[in-house]
Amino acid sequence: MAHAPRILIVTSRYYAHIAAELEASVIEGLEKVGATHEFLEVPGAFEIPGAISMAAQTGEWDGFVALGCVIRGETSHYDLITNHVARGLMELSISGVPLGFGVLTVENEEQAKVRADRKGKNKGAEVVAAVLRMVGLSYRFTRLAEGDE
């Protein structure tokens, strides 16, 4: 990579304690590789793709991390939100926006805690690996498009 990657972490704080653990894991991973990061908070998971889309248009960041948690409730709201967030983030990815998907979609809070826990499943570390890989691919294909490789 030509420079230390600049990553924007976009976090829904609807479940603040889960989001905080995910963020801590992501920060640890980014700092290990010397990546710089900034934070942007959004009200809920639904707003994450829109915020990343707006930020991506500025060209200020090399990649994006989407963080949040959606816990199944008693209504179909869970299905609507999770489907639309995943679709929105996939559309961004397909359009060339390097990102890591760290929006937990779980049945209950205990599942969320286990997945977010840095000593548990540590999904934040997986998200860092994903975004850094996608940033690397973005650099590679940008160079190819410019005829540098």
Side-chain angles (χ1 to χ4, degrees), residues 8-71:
L8 181 64
I9 303 167
V10 179
T11 306
S12 161
R13 294 219 172 270
Y14 193 83
Y15 293 100
H17 58 296
I18 302 297
E21 185 67 12
L22 287 168
E23 268 187 349
S25 177
V26 168
I27 292 164
E28 284 177 6
L30 292 174
E31 288 179 350
K32 280 182 187 175
V33 299
T36 62
H37 59 275
E38 292 181 50
F39 300 97
L40 179 64
E41 288 185 27
V42 294
F46 184 80
E47 289 78 21
I48 293 171
I52 291 174
S53 177
M54 288 184 267
Q57 293 176 35
T58 71
E60 190 171 337
W61 296 279
D62 299 307
F64 302 87
V65 168
L67 295 180
C69 180
V70 184
I71 299 175

Side-chain angles (χ1 to χ4, degrees), residues 55-145:
Q57 293 176 35
T58 71
E60 190 171 337
W61 296 279
D62 299 307
F64 302 87
V65 168
L67 295 180
C69 180
V70 184
I71 299 175
R72 186 179 297 280
E74 297 176 3
T75 68
S76 61
H77 182 74
Y78 170 90
D79 297 313
L80 293 171
I81 295 300
T82 57
N83 288 333
H84 288 296
V85 170
R87 183 182 54 79
L89 292 173
M90 178 55 72
E91 287 176 6
L92 287 167
S93 180
I94 290 170
S95 74
V97 175
L99 60 87
F101 188 112
V103 180
L104 302 179
T105 56
V106 295
E107 298 296 318
N108 54 56
E109 189 171 342
E110 187 55 37
Q111 287 179 350
K113 287 179 182 176
V114 168
R115 284 160 178 74
D117 186 356
R118 286 172 278 172
K119 293 182 174 92
K121 293 199 181 251
N122 197 2
K123 291 297 181 180
E126 292 177 20
V127 172
V128 169
V131 73
L132 292 175
R133 181 68 177 128
M134 296 309 290
V135 167
L137 288 174
S138 175
Y139 289 165
R140 176 181 176 197
F141 291 125
T142 298
R143 285 192 316 270
L144 284 172

